[in-house]
Amino acid sequence: MAALKRSAPWAARNADGAIALGLAIVVGVLGIMPDEIFGPKGDEIQTQLVTAATLVILALVATALLRDRARQAPVEKTITSGALAELPVRLARLEQIETLAHSTRRALDALQLVRVLGSRQEIAQSHAEARKDTTRWSFKGGTGTYLRAVTLPKCVEAARRDKRHLTVRIEVIDPSDKELCAKYANYRRSLSNVPDGTGEVWTTDRVRKESYATILAAFWHRQDYTLLDIGVGLSSTMTTFRWDLSTTRLIMTVEDPNMAMTALAGTFYYENCDTELRLSFEQARRVPLEMYQDVPLSKEPTTEEVQELFERIGVPLPKTYSDRDIVEIALKALRAPDPYA
């Protein structure tokens, strides 16, 4: 009785199927029963019963199929006229949402003006990534010590390896402006009066020699690599920042060797700093680098070559400089130690 109660609701919902199933069982039983049970004409009676029951089963199956189709028709109509009909519209909206998401991501990337670098390792890695495959480099800063020691030699080396053109623009403080050099030296000493990574302290004489060395390095590398387009501008003002800008990124460093900022190409900050560096370079006093063929330098420049170079380009060395001072400038130009190593 319990089993009948549990199966009754199912049988009520599927009456035709239940009847067909019952008849199928009956037909199966009749088919295996002996003919003698149905009397003298048991064979004919058995055949008629099986045939009639089979027809009834087929009729019930057909009824069930028709009923299911009748039930599915509204659903199919709803799907066809509703969700499927709106599918192109929904896909179009999805594409719009995806486009909006990409636009929003680009806007957020642009709004993220700079990223702070908080260690020497991060700064060195950022410089290495900036140098990779770059075709141009712009620098503006104090005397360009790190530029001479690392940036310029490695950029030229990579360009030579790939046999490609390289454009470099350098802006440093004017070494002939003794008062400006003294201000820069005082500023650097006010931050730290101990020797820096090069083992030297900042004095007016050192500032002048570092700037002279940057000019000499530019001429030497220009003669050494034909595809190098290099320019040097001498600034009449000092800056507390150092800008390094390549094809892919901008790096702004300060006197703290563990702090810097970087911005990728294409961002608002990068583009505006690029414009600032271009305009600043145009306003600086230009060193006539086009005279590099008129004042040839040896692989190891002599004191006479260095002195003649600065005389010919209109940036003469102080008359108080001895041969030892000139040799020091040449060593700073071509063998400058990495101040952050």
Side-chain angles (χ1 to χ4, degrees):
M1 290 298 294
L4 289 175
K5 288 181 179 179
R6 287 195 301 269
S7 60
W10 178 86
R13 290 192 304 268
N14 304 276
D16 47 5
I19 295 172
L21 178 61
L23 289 176
I25 295 173
V26 172
V27 169
V29 173
L30 292 175
I32 61 175
M33 291 179 64
D35 298 341
E36 292 78 8
I37 296 177
F38 299 98
K41 297 183 178 181
D43 186 20
E44 294 180 7
I45 294 173
Q46 186 181 25
T47 302
Q48 291 176 358
L49 289 174
V50 171
T51 302
T54 302
L55 292 175
V56 173
I57 293 172
L58 292 176
L60 290 172
V61 171
T63 302
L65 291 175
L66 292 174
R67 184 196 61 184
D68 290 341
R69 287 185 179 180
R71 290 177 178 176
Q72 293 175 0
V75 179
E76 293 178 354
K77 182 178 180 181
T78 302
I79 294 174
T80 305
S81 61
L84 291 179
E86 295 178 359
L87 185 59
V89 178
R90 293 177 182 271
L91 290 176
R93 289 179 181 174
L94 183 61
E95 185 176 355
Q96 292 176 357
I97 293 173
E98 186 177 358
T99 303
L100 180 61
H102 285 301
S103 301
T104 304
R105 179 59 182 272
R106 287 196 300 268
L108 290 175
D109 289 341
L111 287 174
Q112 188 181 0
L113 299 181
V114 296
R115 182 168 64 90
V116 176
L117 306 175
S119 67
R120 294 171 184 258
Q121 292 75 19
E122 277 191 292
I123 297 173
Q125 179 63 28
S126 186
H127 272 279
E129 292 173 356
R131 291 191 301 266
K132 186 178 179 181
D133 301 328
T134 188
T135 57
R136 71 184 183 102
W137 195 281
S138 296
F139 171 83
K140 178 182 177 180
T143 59
T145 307
Y146 183 81
L147 176 82
R148 295 191 314 273
V150 181
T151 303
L152 187 57
K154 287 189 176 296
C155 284
V156 172
E157 179 185 356
R160 191 196 308 275
R161 183 177 60 249
D162 299 336
K163 298 179 176 60
R164 54 177 167 78
H165 182 267
L166 177 64
T167 300
V168 178
R169 294 292 177 264
I170 304 170
E171 184 178 347
V172 294
I173 60 178
D174 191 343
S176 60
D177 190 337
K178 192 172 181 180
E179 183 179 353
L180 176 62
C181 293
K183 288 182 179 179
Y184 184 75
N186 290 334
Y187 167 71
R188 295 295 296 266
R189 282 199 309 272
S190 69
L191 299 178
S192 175
N193 57 4
V194 298
D196 59 12
T198 64
E200 299 181 71
V201 295
W202 284 98
T203 63
T204 302
D205 184 59
R206 181 191 172 186
V207 173
R208 301 185 75 184
K209 288 178 179 178
E210 297 284 356
S211 287
Y212 281 126
T214 299
I215 298 172
L216 177 60
F219 272 95
W220 190 88
H221 284 288
R222 178 65 183 87
Q223 292 183 9
D224 187 58
Y225 186 55
T226 307
L227 298 180
L228 173 63
D229 176 14
I230 189 169
V232 177
L234 304 179
S235 177
S236 59
T237 59
M238 59 165 281
T239 175
T240 60
F241 292 104
R242 291 186 293 272
W243 287 271
D244 286 278
L245 186 142
S246 72
T247 308
T248 58
R249 70 183 60 214
L250 164 76
I251 305 170
M252 183 184 293
T253 53
V254 292
E255 300 310 324
D256 187 344
N258 293 307
M259 292 298 294
M261 297 180 292
T262 182
L264 297 179
T267 60
F268 174 82
Y269 193 70
Y270 174 95
E271 298 299 334
N272 281 272
C273 285
D274 189 14
T275 302
E276 171 67 21
L277 293 179
R278 289 174 183 269
L279 293 177
S280 180
F281 183 79
E282 291 177 1
Q283 297 175 64
R285 179 162 75 102
R286 198 70 58 84
V287 176
L289 261 296
E290 63 276 3
M291 296 180 60
Y292 71 94
Q293 292 180 329
D294 300 332
V295 281
L297 297 170
S298 305
K299 284 291 183 182
E300 299 290 338
T302 64
T303 57
E304 293 78 11
E305 291 174 345
V306 174
Q307 197 160 13
E308 182 184 0
L309 168 67
F310 285 104
E311 289 287 343
R312 296 283 296 273
I313 64 176
V315 191
L317 296 174
K319 295 186 181 299
T320 57
Y321 276 13
S322 63
D323 288 351
R324 182 176 180 179
D325 294 317
I326 298 175
V327 169
E328 184 181 355
I329 292 174
L331 290 175
K332 288 179 178 293
L334 304 179
R335 289 180 174 81
D338 183 353
Y340 302 117

